[in-house]
Amino acid sequence: MTGVGVSSGRAAGPIVRVADPLPEPAATPAPADPAAEAARIRPAADAVSEGLFQRAAKVGGDAKAVLETTAAMAMDPALTSQAEQLVATRSLPASRAVFEAANGFADALRAAGGYMAERARDVHDVRDRIIASIEGITPPGVPEITEPSVLIARDLAPADTADLDPELVLALVTEEGGPTSHTAILARALGIPAVVAVRGVLDAAASGATVDGDEGTVELSEAAVAARAAERTEHADWDGVGRTADDAPVKVLANVGSATDSTAAVEAGAQGVGLFRTEFCYLGADEEPDVATQRAAYAEVLAPFAGKPVVVRTLDAGADKPLAFLDMGVEPNPALGVRGLRVAFDRPDLLDTQIEAIAGAAQDSGAEVSVMAPMVATADEAAWFAERARAGGIDRVGVMIEVPAAALSAAEILQAVDFVSIGTNDLAQYVFAADRMAGALAGLNDPWQPALLRLIGMVGEAGRLVDKSVGVCGEAASDPHLAGVLAGLGVTSLSMNAPAVRAVGAALAQHPLDTFRKAARAALEAPSAAAARHTTKTTLA
């Protein structure tokens, strides 16, 4: 069976299946004592939170951060209060009230799109854990594993993935999910081979599996399969300077969206930040945050990178990512509507306020701050943004390349700005007309797709001709093999989640730039994503 390989390595072993999520709780019967029923919710949430914090205390690094974040979700007073209110106002059983309250939060995250949408899975995980605590049953998730095995699931919550033991979990296979999911990121951090979006794997009768995280294949067997751990390539220690073996510079940067992310990125050795998502400052706000509020929030994220480069992305919102204070109305196709920079054309004051706050936060933190705009389609739009940002006190200005038209017009856009950064996640879904959240289409969103690589190559060439930097800040940058191909295509900086920083830095240092260029040419000529992966692996062997 085939899916999308998201974590390298080949392993085999007996199968352990993860139970599906709990069934939807009934909305009846109404509780005889609503007050007593509502009182069951908070202790259950506290118990879940305490259990997750105890698990977090036993691990470190990114696993610890994920477990602590999930524990904080469980004890969020907004969630428990909303559930308690549903018991009181609609006479719902406690379990049903938690189910509906959590789904409301998850829907809001999905509406926010992109990275935030991928966190909806975390909320569902917390929801099911609290419901299980209320009902006194075993929560869904990874069962106890007593021997080295291949784990197969519909999907895995980050909290389930975070503290998996790589000595016992030889590989991960999920029927849903995609290459940008939190589970994929954590699997790479743990060094566990993983393949996602393997349709039909749960229905297959098998007792053993061989998983290839490089090729994205899963071989199932009715007979027993001997346990075989992945033969992982040991990357050389990275000295913290992004460059190829012949000293061609390729900056290794981090994607961040909070102060916690910044701390993790510094600890991982990132040279700076290639994507600072600012949406956290707006989520849940009933009115636009003022300059002082935004300035303080941004400065907290920037502070760990004093003296280092940080690229701040301006607000990425719109009809597909609604905010309470933005009345965007209803659009027939919001993903193709007024979003990103397009919002600022009608509300330039919104952009001006944010630019002022970013400029102030740069002064407060000492970080070397640049800004870039999302959803830019034309050179005229890029020039409009650049003029406004520079007038607001920002010296270095760029734009995101996530619309195919922008990739095709990269040469003209680079005449108006100082740099561009390719958002491979969105660019892929627009190129292939494939929603990145749709598991059935995960193969089209594979960053190894040759059509996507060809567009990246066009942008890289445009940057080379005018001697301006071209970054990649999508999940493609976190793959050590693909990172070399991107460098060969002319990309001069790579930005990723903290767990991938060291592996990518070490992988870049293993070969000269000409070797990466050779690998890039072979990948561009490949007929499929799988073939591009294979030929690159052969070239860089």
Side-chain angles (χ1 to χ4, degrees):
M1 309 186 82
T2 61
V4 179
V6 296
S7 183
S8 295
R10 182 178 173 89
I15 288 173
V16 170
R17 287 179 169 81
V18 177
D20 276 344
L22 296 175
E24 182 175 326
T28 56
D33 186 344
E37 185 72 3
R40 301 174 62 200
I41 295 172
R42 199 171 299 270
D46 289 344
V48 169
S49 179
E50 177 61 25
L52 290 167
F53 275 126
Q54 288 177 3
R55 287 171 58 187
K58 299 175 183 177
V59 295
D62 299 293
K64 183 182 185 70
V66 167
L67 288 166
E68 288 180 343
T69 299
T70 308
M73 281 186 181
M75 63 187 297
D76 184 354
L79 174 60
T80 52
S81 296
Q82 176 69 17
E84 289 165 349
Q85 189 174 15
L86 288 173
V87 175
T89 59
R90 292 176 48 196
S91 294
L92 292 178
S95 294
R96 179 70 188 192
V98 169
F99 181 83
E100 294 194 11
N103 285 357
F105 282 92
D107 289 345
L109 287 171
R110 271 194 295 268
Y115 177 83
M116 299 306 296
E118 290 157 9
R119 305 289 73 79
R121 177 69 181 88
D122 304 26
V123 177
H124 288 156
D125 177 44
V126 167
R127 174 199 69 191
D128 290 347
R129 291 176 188 276
I130 296 175
I131 291 172
S133 181
I134 290 171
E135 298 184 357
I137 59 177
T138 301
V142 179
E144 183 179 0
I145 301 174
T146 57
E147 63 177 350
S149 306
V150 172
L151 205 58
I152 293 183
R154 186 166 306 281
D155 199 0
L156 278 172
D160 282 330
T161 315
D163 57 353
L164 292 178
D165 183 351
E167 298 299 320
L168 290 176
V169 179
L170 301 172
L172 295 175
V173 180
T174 64
E175 183 154 315
E176 298 177 355
T180 63
S181 69
H182 210 153
T183 296
I185 294 166
L186 283 168
R188 283 192 290 270
L190 293 168
I192 299 173
V195 181
V196 302
V198 184
R199 301 181 70 185
V201 69
L202 288 174
D203 294 330
S207 60
T210 301
V211 180
D212 191 324
D214 294 296
E215 302 293 337
T217 60
V218 180
E219 301 171 19
L220 299 176
S221 171
E222 293 183 5
V225 174
R228 185 174 74 252
E231 296 178 3
R232 302 183 184 92
T233 300
E234 293 296 330
H235 295 289
D237 290 338
W238 182 47
D239 64 5
V241 180
R243 60 191 170 195
T244 62
D246 55 341
D247 288 331
V250 184
K251 287 184 179 178
V252 181
L253 309 170
N255 296 340
V256 305
S258 67
T260 301
D261 288 348
S262 287
T263 301
V266 170
E267 292 174 351
Q271 295 177 280
V273 173
L275 171 61
F276 170 13
R277 306 179 184 91
T278 57
E279 287 72 42
F280 78 100
C281 200
Y282 297 84
L283 292 176
D286 293 327
E287 56 186 32
E288 179 190 356
D290 60 21
V291 171
T293 300
Q294 292 188 51
R295 179 171 178 166
Y298 301 152
E300 185 180 5
V301 180
L302 294 172
F305 284 96
K308 295 184 178 181
V310 176
V311 179
V312 182
R313 185 182 67 188
T314 56
L315 178 62
D316 191 6
D320 67 325
K321 304 175 181 180
L323 297 174
F325 59 87
L326 278 179
D327 184 11
M328 301 302 298
V330 177
E331 293 182 343
N333 194 340
L336 301 180
V338 179
R339 57 165 292 198
L341 183 63
R342 299 169 184 177
V343 174
F345 297 147
D346 293 327
R347 288 284 309 275
D349 57 302
L350 192 68
L351 176 62
D352 293 343
T353 297
Q354 186 173 30
I355 292 294
E356 181 180 351
I358 292 170
Q363 295 174 2
D364 298 341
S365 66
E368 299 174 1
V369 171
S370 308
V371 298
M372 64 180 177
M375 283 297 290
V376 170
T378 68
D380 284 346
E381 292 178 357
W384 182 89
F385 172 74
E387 181 180 1
R388 210 158 193 104
R390 289 171 180 144
I394 304 297
D395 294 330
R396 188 168 183 267
V397 182
V399 299
M400 295 280 292
I401 303 289
E402 49 197 340
V403 177
L408 295 170
S409 304
E412 293 78 11
I413 286 175
L414 279 164
Q415 296 296 329
V417 297
D418 303 304
F419 68 95
V420 295
S421 185
I422 303 169
T424 53
N425 301 348
D426 271 331
L427 183 58
Q429 74 170 348
Y430 285 126
V431 167
F432 294 101
D435 187 342
R436 59 189 278 201
M437 298 303 293
L441 303 178
L444 291 175
N445 282 295
D446 188 333
W448 283 92
Q449 285 285 359
L452 178 64
L453 296 178
R454 289 166 194 164
L455 279 178
I456 294 172
M458 291 178 62
V459 180
E461 177 63 13
R464 187 188 65 79
L465 290 175
V466 295
D467 194 26
K468 291 184 178 179
S469 62
V470 173
V472 166
C473 59
E475 195 57 34
S478 66
D479 183 328
H481 285 120
L482 186 52
V485 169
L486 295 174
L489 291 172
V491 171
T492 57
S493 70
L494 298 166
S495 190
M496 64 214 71
N497 291 294
V501 166
R502 293 190 185 281
V504 168
L508 288 170
Q510 288 182 341
H511 301 282
L513 185 57
D514 278 347
T515 300
F516 289 134
R517 286 173 175 159
K518 179 181 178 182
R521 287 193 296 270
L524 291 180
E525 295 170 0
S528 66
R533 236 189 220 97
H534 180 75
T535 189
T536 297
K537 189 175 179 182
T538 301
T539 303
L540 300 180

